[in-house]
Amino acid sequence: MEPKRIREGYLVKRGSMFNTWKPMWVVLLEDGVEFYKKKSDNSPKGMIPLKGSTLTSPCQDFGKKMFVFKITTTKQQDHFFQAAFLEERDGWVRDIKKAVKCIEGGQKFARRSTRRSIRLPETTDLGALYLSMKDTEKGVKELNLEKDKKIFNHCFTGNCVIDWLVSNKSVRNRQEGLVIASSLLNEGYLQPAGDLSKYAVDGTAENPFLDNPDAFYYFPDSGFFCEENSSDDDVILKEEFRGVVIKQGCLLKQGHRRKNWKVRKFILREDPAYLHYYDPAGGEDPLGAIRLRGCVVTSVESNPDGKKGEEENLFEIITADEVHYFLQAATPKERTEWIKAIQVAFRTGK
């Protein structure tokens, strides 16, 4: 009997020999983690046994690389994976930890109800707190703040975070709020923006988080960017990134010239409605952008080249300029979710 598949999807993995980062199709089984060069491959490129393994998350061994976690086997071999966004990383880490625990206890992996008690647990759930902070109505309000002739978009101040924690009754006082906010910062749920908050993180202070109106922070997947006084062309370019991020993740994209398929990280923004795509292995600047205003998006049931092959779960975006983009999701459900999200973005955005 084959081991049960618990979770699967695209992650970026660091190579063990050449230390390069490449997107892989990763499958979490009850007893190990398999990784494939392509989703359609029949045999894995490698397998990581989970018995006795330990997890490190967040893994901050690689500077600017975000959403990285590390699996260390009993033979002290380190395997590094990078997710596309925070919730995705936390989902993988949560399931891998549970799989390891089930192996140790001789139990079968089974998901339990996620219903939470009204009373706060003794140990604060930082993941749940982060989701509450991101709530568009009741969470911490994201603002565009100006300091030192720079505009920080989609961020908030340190004292606003502590105010929210106290008013939301997540903490009893501001000192306790500093401890919780520092933990959120250390775990990657918050990121520093601006010199003041970055100096505090890099320094030796007891609390790396500052309860200060001049210290700026942002959520790691909020669409944050900083702009200085610049030319009109730069302002037009940055206008693409002003929209709120409503969906992100990895998809396969067909190239326009060679017609080959490559994994890309996509970030969907609305108002203005843009779909940016990036090299999932790194790079802050997008490889390209699809303007969604006036576009058409629809599912495709066959290979755009007219060939019958491995391609499934395809969908197509046709822009107002009649440029065709062919994308492939991992599952029918994921394809439907992307199509619906893109439709919402171009109907409500500019």
Side-chain angles (χ1 to χ4, degrees):
M1 186 175 178
E2 292 187 1
K4 174 184 175 183
R5 291 193 172 204
I6 298 168
R7 176 184 285 268
E8 55 188 327
Y10 287 110
L11 292 173
V12 180
K13 184 181 183 300
R14 183 174 183 258
S16 55
M17 292 183 65
F18 299 105
N19 297 331
T20 54
W21 293 81
K22 292 183 178 180
M24 294 281 179
W25 181 257
V26 183
V27 179
L28 171 61
L29 305 172
E30 290 180 303
D31 59 350
V33 175
E34 293 181 341
F35 49 96
Y36 299 75
K37 189 175 180 180
K38 294 189 298 181
K39 179 177 181 284
S40 57
D41 287 351
N42 293 322
S43 56
K45 193 173 181 181
M47 197 272 194
I48 305 167
L50 289 180
K51 185 176 182 180
S53 294
T54 59
L55 251 71
T56 303
S57 179
C59 176
Q60 298 172 330
D61 295 2
F62 301 99
K64 292 185 178 181
K65 277 194 176 292
M66 299 170 66
F67 317 131
V68 175
F69 63 91
K70 177 175 68 173
I71 303 175
T72 304
T73 66
T74 53
K75 294 182 179 179
Q76 297 305 306
Q77 294 175 326
D78 292 332
H79 299 271
F80 300 92
F81 293 91
Q82 182 183 25
F85 52 98
L86 190 64
E87 289 91 340
E88 183 180 56
R89 183 201 69 187
D90 288 352
W92 277 96
V93 169
R94 183 170 56 250
D95 283 348
I96 293 172
K97 282 184 175 178
K98 186 172 181 180
V100 173
K101 190 174 181 180
C102 287
I103 293 171
E104 293 173 350
Q107 302 170 327
K108 285 286 185 181
F109 188 102
R111 298 190 187 278
R112 295 182 179 178
S113 171
T114 57
R115 187 186 304 170
R116 297 189 182 96
S117 169
I118 296 175
R119 295 183 179 180
L120 285 174
E122 293 181 4
T123 303
T124 303
D125 186 341
L126 294 179
L129 187 59
Y130 164 76
L131 293 177
S132 297
M133 293 174 72
K134 283 192 65 182
D135 186 279
T136 53
E137 294 182 2
K138 299 180 181 180
V140 178
K141 300 303 178 186
E142 294 179 277
L143 304 169
N144 295 339
L145 303 172
E146 186 172 358
K147 185 177 177 60
D148 300 330
K149 296 183 179 181
K150 296 180 180 179
I151 299 176
F152 298 84
N153 297 268
H154 301 296
C155 68
F156 38 83
T157 62
N159 66 317
C160 284
V161 172
I162 305 301
D163 288 344
W164 184 89
L165 289 170
V166 173
S167 64
N168 200 48
K169 297 182 180 179
S170 298
V171 296
R172 291 172 293 182
N173 50 55
R174 300 189 77 83
Q175 187 59 38
E176 198 172 277
L178 271 175
V179 175
I180 296 297
S182 297
S183 298
L184 288 164
L185 191 65
N186 291 334
E187 291 294 317
Y189 292 106
L190 300 178
Q191 294 292 324
D195 294 338
L196 185 61
S197 55
K198 289 180 179 179
Y199 288 152
V201 170
D202 295 335
T204 57
E206 181 180 355
N207 290 311
F209 189 91
L210 298 178
D211 181 4
N212 189 316
D214 292 323
F216 298 166
Y217 301 89
Y218 65 94
F219 297 124
D221 50 2
S222 64
F224 165 82
F225 69 97
C226 175
E227 55 185 324
E228 302 183 45
N229 291 340
S230 55
S231 67
D232 291 341
D233 290 340
D234 289 337
V235 171
I236 293 172
L237 177 64
K238 291 187 172 69
E239 181 71 21
E240 297 180 11
F241 301 96
R242 291 185 185 275
V244 176
V245 175
I246 60 174
K247 189 172 179 59
Q248 54 188 319
C250 287
L251 297 167
L252 279 169
K253 176 185 175 293
Q254 187 186 51
H256 281 103
R257 293 183 180 179
R258 298 182 180 179
K259 304 297 181 183
N260 56 339
W261 293 84
K262 290 187 177 181
V263 179
R264 296 291 180 236
K265 174 183 175 179
F266 285 83
I267 297 181
L268 175 62
R269 294 178 170 89
E270 66 174 353
D271 198 20
Y274 275 90
L275 183 62
H276 294 93
Y277 51 95
Y278 301 75
D279 180 353
E284 298 181 1
D285 296 326
L287 299 174
I290 305 172
R291 190 179 185 188
L292 298 177
R293 184 179 180 183
C295 80
V296 175
V297 57
T298 182
S299 60
V300 179
E301 299 306 327
S302 61
N303 189 303
D305 296 328
K307 302 176 184 177
K308 290 185 178 180
E310 305 164 339
E311 287 75 11
E312 296 177 343
N313 309 315
L314 299 170
F315 63 100
E316 178 184 13
I317 300 173
I318 306 174
T319 68
D321 298 328
E322 296 189 1
V323 179
H324 295 244
Y325 294 88
F326 291 98
L327 308 174
Q328 182 186 14
T331 64
K333 180 183 176 184
E334 186 181 53
R335 175 174 69 174
T336 301
E337 290 174 350
W338 272 103
I339 289 175
K340 287 182 177 179
I342 292 170
Q343 289 172 339
V344 169
F346 72 67
R347 286 171 183 167
T348 60
K350 293 186 284 185

